[in-house]
Amino acid sequence: MANKILEVKNLKKYFQTPKGMLHAVDDVTFTIEEGKTLGVVGESGCGKSTTGRAILRLHEPTSGEVIFNGENILTKNADEMRLLRRQMQLIFQDPYASLDPRNTVSEIIGEPLKLQKIIPDKAKRLEKVYELMETVGLAERLVNTYPHELDGGRRQRIGIARALAMEPKFIVCDEPVSALDVSIQAQILNLMQDLQEQMGLTYMFITHDLSVVHHFADDIAVMYLGQLIEKAPSGMLFDKPTHPYTQALLSAIPVPSLNKKRERILLKGEITSPINPKPGCRFAARCPYATDRCRSEEPKLKEIEPNHFVACHLCD
Amino acid sequence: MAQKNPKDLILDIKDLVIHYETDDGTVEAVNGIDIQLEYGKTLGLVGETGSGKTTTALSVLRLVPDPPGVIKNGSIFLDGKDIMNLPQKELEAVRGHLASMIFQDPMTSLNPVFTVGDQISEVIALHENCSKKEADEKAGDMLEVVGIPRERFAEYPHQFSGGMKQRVVIAMALACNPKLLLADEPTTALDVTIQAQVLETMKGLREKFGSAMIMITHDLGIIAEVCDEVSVVYAGQIVEHGTLVDVFNHTRHPYTEGLFGSLPNIEIKRNRLSPIPGLMPDPTDLPKGCCFAPRCKYATPDCEKARPAKKWLSDTHYVRCSRYDEPNFKIEREDQ
């Protein structure tokens, strides 16, 4: 049994809004094993990014526990957190917005090393920057360029190099390839895969693209309106999607081949508001199988077979 | 090679060349694109950012911004009309009536200060010589066609979600029953389940109205779902064109092969993707020879000498790759 690097228990993040309490993340529980990738999928507004950020305490969780390497990080003070962040890093979605336009490549990649006082000496820091640039496949000559001079793929490589500077164990990747063209996307995915193998990294990979997550993740967690509704190893989830939402989501992926025509489940309506959600299953309004019980009683996440968790009354 | 009868063509583009002349140099956006689309058919234009897909579509309605856009060469016939030489007045009658466009971003293609109903009825009133009341009535019908209750006629765009806004844009584009629909990445900004709904709506409506469509996308999955024919665009040229079966099951161009290799496919679990190395060439400084040669694993020194010409492999399928001059040349991707 591999070592659990991260355990998230009953994590909640609510935001106070003028219209009421927004349940962005509502009672989410999962674990990630060391060296593995957990894919978190769901549509916009389902709380996947907020979950990633709450784990790093970039949003302070409302309640719950985040246990990283055996320690509950939610009880740490700011100094302890700063040290812990060396081990927990984030790669952002938008390589255009997540890099400071006034800093050069070397300043961006070197900044965490400077801030965390790991390599205070400037010349030595530059050496490390060159090393990191090589790791992520950035040519040495780009060291003094600014982000606007580079294309999306190279920018995302900078973001990855910056995250790797701390030699982290765990990286939250928030839609790292969504803004990239397919041929570049594949380059970055392969790079991330290589880095994982070389450095034993653990990823939490947040995306809306199910084909990417199928390719990349060991386990997949599906979120809907702030809740985790199904979690299983990647192959199992794609072979036997059990929650009606997962089934619809998988059937909606356009597949680039002609040989297999698949049955498509079309959902009616759209994701409803996460503000003061009604009791009962949050998917009930769009679910083709919803019963009265679904509308009144909230389904709990249950293990229906080893490692396969589903929150749906239909599984009873 | 197959020559389609011009009478059957809703759109006939020949050797289109469009440059953007900027202070920093000339961007060679479109470099000799041909499109022959029959009435009622759907053509997919697939390619990456900056390959010239959108510029091509804009040129059909003569919407390429000028300056800096300059149409250097080529002819465009839309339903028999010579678009390049049409007076402004007649162009206005074409836009939104004979052919209309759905843009990528539904958030910015609606006017925030008008109600959605008014925006749809404006198109109808403009093209169909009818009273405001009749136009409003028809706009309400169109809303229902795309699955939005008529009661929401008087609401503003910000009161709609992304998927609903895109439906409004589709309703607007279809309001005058165009013969050609130009859809520029219509579902890229949407979630998958909503994308499925919108694609289904578009398919249903196309069948109902019999419009032809050009679907611009970077997603080969969407192409497989909605198109009859597909053109793969790279650096402003169509490098491979054919029916869906030609391009998906009998892929011939190395770039098309590269696109398929880059895609994670849920039907086939592979250990690693095989991306195309390198980047798109700078469109202000395109290579003299085949534009894909610098990234192509099959390239020979000869490939860098001249732009490859069209090579017809069957009545429906052509490819621009000079390696096919050699009788035994084959790419690695096998026929499916």
Side-chain angles (χ1 to χ4, degrees):
Chain A
M1 187 73 187
N3 178 25
K4 284 177 192 161
I5 190 164
L6 184 82
E7 277 187 87
V8 175
K9 289 184 184 166
N10 306 100
L11 186 72
K12 287 184 187 174
K13 175 64 198 174
Y14 294 173
F15 293 99
Q16 184 67 54
T17 69
K19 287 184 185 159
M21 199 57 102
L22 188 150
H23 295 226
V25 180
D26 214 352
D27 211 4
V28 165
T29 299
F30 61 86
T31 57
I32 308 181
E33 287 171 15
E34 193 162 2
K36 296 274 165 125
T37 300
L38 173 73
V40 180
V41 295
E43 298 180 88
S44 34
C46 73
K48 51 193 194 304
S49 292
T50 310
T51 307
R53 282 163 195 234
I55 288 170
L56 301 176
R57 287 180 76 187
L58 296 175
H59 290 311
E60 197 56 50
T62 308
S63 70
E65 283 177 60
V66 176
I67 297 162
F68 180 72
N69 267 340
E71 289 179 281
N72 185 358
I73 67 162
L74 300 187
T75 58
K76 303 283 179 196
N77 63 28
D79 286 336
E80 292 168 320
M81 250 343 267
R82 187 173 310 122
L83 283 176
L84 261 172
R85 289 231 168 86
R86 293 183 182 179
Q87 298 177 37
M88 315 171 80
Q89 289 286 318
L90 178 64
I91 298 171
F92 295 91
Q93 169 169 13
D94 186 348
Y96 295 84
S98 59
L99 302 176
D100 187 337
R102 291 157 177 260
N103 281 356
T104 62
V105 171
S106 72
E107 283 165 336
I108 293 169
I109 300 176
E111 192 163 29
L113 296 165
K114 188 169 140 194
L115 286 178
Q116 291 265 6
K117 300 189 181 70
I118 293 177
I119 311 179
D121 179 74
K122 212 173 164 189
K124 282 200 183 128
R125 201 159 62 224
L126 193 61
E127 262 171 50
K128 177 76 181 172
V129 167
Y130 277 124
E131 198 186 306
L132 286 162
M133 285 176 70
E134 202 193 321
T135 315
V136 299
L138 280 170
E140 230 171 69
R141 65 186 158 82
L142 300 174
V143 73
N144 288 320
T145 52
Y146 288 90
H148 76 265
E149 299 174 70
L150 303 173
D151 61 277
R154 288 217 181 91
R155 285 185 220 209
Q156 200 55 293
R157 287 177 198 265
I158 299 174
I160 295 171
R162 176 173 62 183
L164 292 177
M166 293 289 101
E167 296 175 8
K169 293 204 171 74
F170 172 65
I171 303 182
V172 174
C173 318
D174 191 358
E175 306 254 14
V177 294
S178 309
L180 307 174
D181 268 321
V182 277
S183 72
I184 308 300
Q185 171 176 319
Q187 293 174 2
I188 298 292
L189 287 174
N190 278 354
L191 169 68
M192 292 179 67
Q193 222 170 343
D194 291 341
L195 295 171
Q196 179 167 44
E197 280 161 25
Q198 287 159 21
M199 304 182 181
L201 296 170
T202 307
Y203 291 135
M204 175 170 164
F205 196 97
I206 299 167
T207 179
H208 68 278
D209 188 333
L210 287 138
S211 328
V212 168
V213 97
H214 175 253
H215 171 76
F216 203 78
D218 300 295
D219 292 298
I220 297 178
V222 184
M223 288 186 70
Y224 189 80
L225 268 181
Q227 294 176 324
L228 204 163
I229 55 151
E230 183 157 3
K231 182 186 179 230
S234 174
M236 198 189 279
L237 189 93
F238 274 79
D239 287 343
K240 268 193 286 178
T242 304
H243 196 286
Y245 176 66
T246 315
Q247 291 171 357
L249 199 59
L250 296 190
S251 81
I253 311 173
V255 179
S257 75
L258 305 176
N259 301 347
K260 211 168 156 189
K261 280 286 163 238
R262 293 171 318 149
E263 193 74 22
R264 166 167 288 179
I265 307 163
L266 270 188
L267 289 176
K268 293 208 177 64
E270 298 185 26
I271 220 164
T272 44
S273 163
I275 294 172
N276 297 333
K278 288 192 212 97
C281 174
R282 291 188 187 172
F283 184 60
R286 296 172 79 188
C287 181
Y289 314 108
T291 62
D292 286 341
R293 185 178 171 211
C294 300
R295 289 181 202 100
S296 55
E297 187 189 329
E298 191 167 294
K300 291 269 170 283
L301 200 65
K302 281 180 294 264
E303 191 164 11
I304 57 162
E305 61 186 310
N307 294 322
H308 191 166
F309 298 86
V310 184
C312 178
H313 289 313
L314 294 172
C315 300
D316 291 349
Chain B
M1 110 176 214
Q3 197 55 271
K4 289 176 183 168
N5 185 347
K7 275 197 192 130
D8 300 334
L9 299 179
I10 170 74
L11 183 65
D12 190 359
I13 299 182
K14 284 208 180 94
D15 200 23
L16 185 68
V17 178
I18 302 174
H19 291 175
Y20 291 104
E21 290 175 351
T22 69
D23 294 343
D24 299 330
T26 301
V27 176
E28 300 178 20
V30 176
N31 304 303
I33 279 187
D34 302 305
I35 291 176
Q36 261 113 35
L37 182 63
E38 288 168 53
Y39 287 96
K41 286 276 165 65
T42 297
L43 169 73
L45 281 185
V46 63
E48 298 180 85
T49 319
S51 58
K53 321 183 283 290
T54 301
T55 303
T56 307
L58 288 174
S59 72
V60 173
L61 296 175
R62 260 201 26 222
L63 288 173
V64 175
D66 173 19
V70 185
I71 299 178
K72 288 279 189 187
N73 187 27
S75 64
I76 301 172
F77 284 87
L78 176 65
D79 199 26
K81 288 192 173 64
D82 182 0
I83 293 294
M84 302 286 232
N85 299 310
L86 220 52
Q88 191 63 26
K89 195 97 198 126
E90 285 180 49
L91 264 179
E92 276 164 24
V94 166
R95 293 175 185 151
H97 191 48
L98 188 58
S100 57
M101 188 140 180
I102 301 173
F103 293 93
Q104 172 169 7
D105 187 355
M107 323 298 159
T108 53
S109 47
L110 291 170
N111 188 332
V113 299
F114 289 101
T115 66
V116 298
D118 279 342
Q119 295 187 51
I120 301 173
S121 91
E122 184 192 2
V123 189
I124 301 168
L126 200 66
H127 290 296
E128 293 199 349
N129 243 339
C130 59
S131 70
K132 172 89 173 80
K133 205 170 158 239
E134 282 165 338
D136 282 355
E137 186 61 28
K138 190 158 180 225
D141 295 343
M142 282 314 296
L143 277 177
E144 281 184 345
V145 166
V146 295
I148 298 173
R150 187 181 280 268
E151 293 74 49
R152 301 195 67 178
F153 184 93
E155 289 184 22
Y156 290 88
H158 75 268
Q159 292 168 291
F160 288 79
S161 65
M164 295 287 245
K165 271 189 237 177
Q166 197 59 301
R167 282 161 195 268
V168 173
V169 175
I170 292 172
M172 217 191 284
L174 288 171
C176 292
N177 198 356
K179 289 187 181 161
L180 177 67
L181 197 59
L182 301 157
D184 187 4
E185 308 244 10
T187 58
T188 305
L190 308 175
D191 280 317
V192 270
T193 62
I194 310 303
Q195 166 173 294
Q197 291 174 0
V198 169
L199 287 178
E200 206 64 28
T201 311
M202 287 178 68
K203 249 200 274 184
L205 292 176
R206 265 193 359 89
E207 274 160 29
K208 196 171 156 194
F209 295 118
S211 315
M213 176 160 81
I214 291 187
M215 172 66 111
I216 296 174
T217 177
H218 62 272
D219 189 335
L220 284 162
I222 293 178
I223 298 271
E225 223 146 84
V226 297
C227 297
D228 303 308
E229 292 171 36
V230 47
S231 293
V232 182
V233 190
Y234 188 78
Q237 276 202 319
I238 294 175
V239 294
E240 181 161 9
H241 170 90
T243 62
L244 270 194
V245 176
D246 289 338
V247 175
F248 279 70
N249 293 357
H250 309 283
T251 312
R252 289 295 178 265
H253 198 279
Y255 175 64
T256 320
E257 177 188 42
L259 278 183
F260 280 112
S262 303
L263 282 178
N265 184 337
I266 59 162
E267 303 289 356
I268 315 154
K269 180 97 182 172
R270 281 174 300 181
N271 227 346
R272 282 176 69 84
L273 301 170
S274 6
I276 307 168
L279 301 170
M280 286 263 284
D282 180 352
T284 62
D285 184 22
L286 290 180
K288 266 201 220 64
C290 170
C291 293
F292 187 61
R295 300 173 77 183
C296 179
K297 59 182 172 188
Y298 308 104
T300 62
D302 279 348
C303 293
E304 284 158 28
K305 284 185 188 142
R307 293 262 166 96
K310 272 189 207 170
K311 187 167 179 75
W312 287 88
L313 305 166
S314 73
D315 279 355
T316 51
H317 193 183
Y318 74 75
V319 61
R320 280 183 195 271
C321 174
S322 17
R323 290 295 310 266
Y324 282 99
D325 295 341
E326 301 161 32
N328 294 322
F329 177 67
K330 264 179 88 171
I331 56 168
E332 281 163 23
R333 181 176 156 96
E334 287 179 7
D335 286 356
Q336 307 286 303

